């Protein structure tokens, strides 16, 4: 009997950023490479074929997703993008923006029928703005109301291909933290994937990551005490167990 195809994982990590004239305009992301290597090892152990790519331009990032449309896939497609960013955008190492809606379009029904029926799971480690999350004192009965943000565009939700989950390191408008030891978000993902929680249904697993980051992590040094709140959106139609292979 033929062996089932392995699920695939694509990890894209940008650590160094230079514009077309060679100027360094965004900070080097120390700690991101080591974290990515560990994620690659863990996903390989969970029976994924992993493609790990470093320092890709905006065009190269789009090309990597086009290539996935031509690959043979197993039950799931997992992808992790770790880079600088802002709301709805990640940056290539050439400091050119890549709209997430563009990546979703590449993986859409029309352009990528091979991936239409299988769950596609995104983890996005990138800032979604410039605000700092100071956290919430949960023991208080009330607190000063925060200024209302302008209503967010629903473009990302509307652009999701069928059977897709996207989890962001932070809420829209806020920064995501990274230091030499790694990021709050992807370190929490690693903790879950290495433990028994990896056997949970995906929606429960992602909620555990939310709790881990929100309740057990905070920034140190210059941004001492600042928090981070991951969030996810999904249009899955059933429970899935993408990390329960072993």
């Amino acid at each position: 009997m033929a062996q089932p195809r392995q699920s695939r994982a694509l990890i894209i990590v940008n650590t160094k950023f230079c514009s077309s004239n060679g100027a360094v305009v965004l900070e080097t992301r120390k700690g991101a490479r080591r974290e990515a290597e560990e994620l690659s090892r863990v996903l390989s152990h969970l029976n994924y074929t992993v493609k790990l790519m470093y320092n890709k331009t905006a065009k190269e990032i789009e090309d990597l997703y086009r290539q996935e449309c031509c690959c043979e896939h197993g039950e799931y497609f997992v992808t992790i993008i770790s880079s600088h960013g802002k709301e709805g955008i990640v940056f290539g190492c050439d400091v050119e923006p890549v709209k997430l809606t563009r990546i979703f379009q590449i993986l859409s029904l029309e352009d990528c029928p091979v991936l239409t029926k299988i769950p596609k799971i995104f983890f996005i480690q990138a800032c979604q703005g410039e605000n700092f999350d100071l956290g919430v004192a949960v023991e208080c009965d009330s607190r000063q109301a925060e200024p209302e943000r302008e209503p967010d565009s629903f473009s990302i939700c509307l652009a999701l291909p069928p059977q897709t989950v996207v989890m962001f390191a932070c809420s829209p408008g806020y920064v995501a933290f990274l230091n030499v030891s790694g990021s709050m978000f992807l370190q929490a993902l690693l903790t879950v994937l290495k433990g028994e929680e990896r056997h949970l249904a995906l929606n429960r697993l992602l909620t555990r990551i939310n709790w881990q980051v929100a309740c057990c992590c905070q920034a140190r040094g210059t941004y001492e005490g600042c928090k981070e709140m991951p969030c996810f959106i999904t249009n899955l139609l059933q429970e899935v167990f993408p990390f329960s292979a072993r």
Side-chain angles (χ1 to χ4, degrees):
M1 179 181 296
Q3 292 293 320
R5 295 170 182 162
Q6 282 186 296
S7 294
R8 290 180 59 83
L10 172 62
I11 304 175
I12 301 172
V13 185
N14 285 343
T15 61
K16 297 180 180 180
F17 300 82
C18 294
S19 62
S20 57
N21 63 6
V24 178
V25 294
L26 290 174
E27 186 178 352
T28 299
R29 301 180 64 248
K30 298 178 181 178
R33 178 180 287 266
R34 183 189 308 170
E35 184 173 71
E37 291 170 352
E38 189 172 4
L39 282 163
S40 179
R41 286 192 295 270
V42 170
L43 287 170
S44 295
H45 182 69
L46 296 176
N47 206 33
Y48 280 80
T49 298
V50 181
K51 190 173 187 178
L52 176 57
M53 308 300 293
Y54 294 109
N55 294 322
K56 295 300 176 182
T57 66
K59 181 182 183 303
E60 287 171 337
I61 290 173
E62 291 188 10
D63 287 344
L64 284 168
Y65 286 99
R66 290 190 186 93
Q67 292 168 20
E68 289 298 323
C69 296
C70 303
C71 294
E72 292 187 348
H73 286 265
E75 289 186 83
Y76 306 101
F77 173 56
V78 171
T79 183
I80 300 169
I81 304 176
S82 178
S83 187
H84 284 300
K86 59 183 182 180
E87 191 166 348
I89 286 172
V90 294
F91 287 105
C93 67
D94 55 352
V95 203
E96 292 296 320
V98 181
K99 291 184 178 180
L100 294 177
T101 51
R102 177 57 185 150
I103 295 175
F104 300 152
Q105 182 183 26
I106 292 169
L107 301 180
S108 68
L109 176 63
E110 295 81 6
D111 294 339
C112 193
V114 70
L115 282 169
T116 299
K117 295 182 179 180
I118 73 171
K120 295 162 285 293
I121 305 162
F122 285 78
F123 296 97
I124 310 294
Q125 169 59 40
C127 292
Q128 288 207 74
E130 298 180 354
N131 295 320
F132 290 92
D133 188 342
L134 302 180
V136 177
V138 295
E139 68 272 20
C140 294
D141 292 326
S142 63
R143 61 190 178 98
Q144 185 176 357
E146 296 179 354
E148 291 187 5
R149 299 179 66 240
E150 290 295 319
D152 292 324
S153 167
F154 284 94
S155 59
I156 287 181
C157 297
L158 295 174
L160 286 186
Q163 295 285 79
T164 299
V165 178
V166 184
M167 188 172 199
F168 298 93
C170 56
S171 302
Y174 287 88
V175 301
F177 291 100
L178 172 75
N179 59 37
V180 293
S181 300
S183 64
M184 295 181 187
F185 175 54
L186 294 183
Q187 288 298 311
L189 173 60
L190 278 165
T191 297
V192 169
L193 294 184
K194 289 178 180 179
E196 291 304 308
E197 291 171 317
R198 71 181 186 276
H199 298 297
L200 292 172
L202 182 61
N203 63 321
R204 293 186 63 196
L205 183 149
L206 300 183
T207 302
R208 295 294 179 93
I209 294 173
N210 276 357
W211 179 87
Q212 178 77 20
V213 176
C215 297
C216 302
C217 301
Q218 67 178 28
R220 298 178 181 177
T222 304
Y223 306 108
E224 179 74 36
C226 286
K227 304 289 288 184
E228 189 173 297
M229 185 66 246
C231 57
F232 60 90
I233 54 177
T234 176
N235 63 9
L236 287 180
L237 302 177
Q238 71 283 331
E239 287 191 328
V240 296
F241 301 81
F243 305 113
S244 193
R246 294 182 182 180

